């Protein structure tokens, strides 16, 4: 959208594209005015044909600035290069700090080149695994699952397999339909802080469930013993059971007043 908006501001008439298709982990292609054009990662472009030293130098300079270089090709012939930078969401740094306080280790899995990934990771204090194809993300998630539970947050087509393989898949609001359908949970607002809120609410819910189970079973055990000893009768046990149901329900309803900020 940013590229087409800039082109329109320059008075460029954008022709219609036909037969557009995504190349997972590589780029996208389409036919424009009878020409087979594609935009792809430098790595994929280099597999089609050697890139000139001048073009490689330009790509390296962009990547060192934390930008993603995308090569425009006609067939296997490079026509130019575009520099794109994914800016962190405004609340990303604060959200990552909250996740760290919650005892969660975070790592960024990206298909971008290593230089770009490291530049963004440094700004946010994130570990980075870069230049990953969808199958590489699956391999890494499998290794992380051997160390503990894994939650994957994503919003793109390439993220869908990883969202499905992780213990909990979380799709960002505004993400692709594939990501939203694959994930176990979806954040309605496009805020990274929603991930920390989700974790805090989940932990509060599990704590509530454990308290309710312990209370209900404990009360039953007490009345079982006292009934066998003759201190209570059947009607008192029935009333206690009904009271326990009301109490655990009331305790669960406290979650309606959950405040993410206070929980953090």
């Amino acid at each position: 959208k940013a590229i087409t908006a800039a082109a329109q501001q320059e008075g460029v008439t954008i022709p219609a594209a036909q037969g557009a298709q995504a190349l997972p982990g590589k780029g996208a292609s389409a036919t424009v005015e009878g020409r087979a054009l594609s935009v792809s990662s430098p790595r994929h472009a280099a597999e089609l044909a050697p890139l000139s030293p001048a073009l490689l130098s330009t790509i390296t300079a962009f990547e060192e600035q934390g930008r993603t270089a995308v090569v425009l090709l006609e067939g296997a012939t490079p026509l130019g290069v575009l520099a794109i930078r994914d800016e962190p969401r405004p609340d990303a740094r604060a959200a990552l700090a909250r996740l760290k306080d919650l005892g969660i280790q975070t790592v960024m899995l990206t298909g971008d080149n290593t230089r770009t990934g490291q530049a963004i990771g440094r700004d946010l204090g994130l570990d980075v695994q870069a230049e990953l194809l969808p199958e590489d993300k699956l391999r890494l998630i499998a290794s992380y699952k051997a160390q503990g539970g894994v939650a994957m947050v994503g919003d793109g087509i390439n993220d869908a397999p990883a969202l499905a393989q992780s213990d909990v898949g979380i799709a960002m609001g505004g993400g692709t339909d594939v990501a939203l359908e694959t994930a176990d949970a979806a954040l309605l607002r496009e805020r990274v802080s929603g991930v920390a809120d989700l974790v805090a609410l989940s932990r509060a819910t599990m704590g509530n469930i454990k308290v309710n189970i312990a209370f209900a079973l404990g009360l039953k055990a007490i009345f079982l013993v006292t009934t066998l000893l003759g201190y209570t009768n059947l009607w008192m046990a029935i009333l206690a059971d009904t009271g326990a149901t009301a109490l655990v329900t009331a305790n669960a309803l406290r979650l309606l007043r959950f405040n993410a900020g206070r929980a953090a």
Side-chain angles (χ1 to χ4, degrees):
K1 290 181 180 179
I3 293 168
T4 55
Q8 289 171 345
Q9 289 178 358
E10 295 293 330
V12 176
T13 300
I14 302 175
Q18 298 176 334
Q21 60 179 336
L23 308 173
K26 297 177 180 179
S29 64
T31 300
V32 181
E33 296 183 331
R35 303 166 68 189
L37 302 180
S38 63
V39 286
S40 73
S41 65
R43 181 173 58 179
H44 178 60
E47 293 174 356
L48 300 177
L51 302 181
S52 68
L55 183 57
L56 287 172
S57 177
T58 300
I59 291 172
T60 300
F62 283 140
E63 291 176 350
E64 289 176 346
Q65 297 170 10
R67 303 177 188 276
T68 299
V70 180
V71 182
L72 173 63
L73 303 159
E74 181 174 3
T77 304
L79 301 179
V81 61
L82 301 170
I84 304 168
R85 179 180 171 93
D86 286 327
E87 295 296 338
R89 297 173 190 259
D91 64 332
R93 188 183 299 275
L96 290 169
R98 281 188 59 201
L99 288 172
K100 184 177 180 180
D101 292 340
L102 290 169
I104 296 174
Q105 180 181 355
T106 55
V107 60
M108 181 172 71
L109 308 182
T110 177
D112 282 338
N113 66 85
T114 301
R115 283 185 289 265
T116 300
Q118 293 293 346
I120 295 176
R122 279 195 304 271
D123 292 342
L124 297 175
L126 271 173
D127 293 332
V128 177
Q129 295 283 353
E131 299 185 13
L132 302 177
L133 294 174
E135 55 266 30
D136 296 324
K137 293 181 180 180
L138 294 179
R139 174 178 50 79
L140 283 171
I141 286 179
S143 66
Y144 292 142
K145 289 177 71 172
Q147 305 171 29
V150 174
M152 169 71 184
V153 183
D155 61 1
I157 295 174
N158 290 341
D159 295 326
L163 288 169
Q165 179 166 322
S166 59
D167 294 306
V168 179
I170 304 171
M172 294 296 297
T176 60
D177 292 341
V178 174
L180 291 168
E181 291 173 2
T182 305
D184 301 296
L187 303 179
L188 299 181
R189 299 175 183 172
E190 298 185 37
R191 297 188 309 179
V192 185
S193 58
V195 179
D197 294 343
L198 180 62
V199 172
L201 177 57
S202 299
R203 289 183 176 179
T205 301
M206 287 304 300
N208 189 286
I209 290 172
K210 291 176 181 177
V211 168
N212 283 348
I213 290 175
F215 176 77
L217 293 180
L219 191 62
K220 289 179 184 296
I222 290 172
F223 272 86
L224 174 62
V225 173
T226 55
T227 300
L228 292 175
L229 294 176
Y231 293 110
T232 55
N233 55 39
L234 178 61
W235 285 108
M236 294 177 66
I238 293 174
L239 290 174
D241 187 68
T242 303
T245 300
L247 288 174
V248 298
T249 301
N251 187 43
L253 290 174
R254 291 190 305 111
L255 291 171
L256 293 174
R257 301 200 310 269
F258 176 80
N259 184 298
R262 185 172 64 244

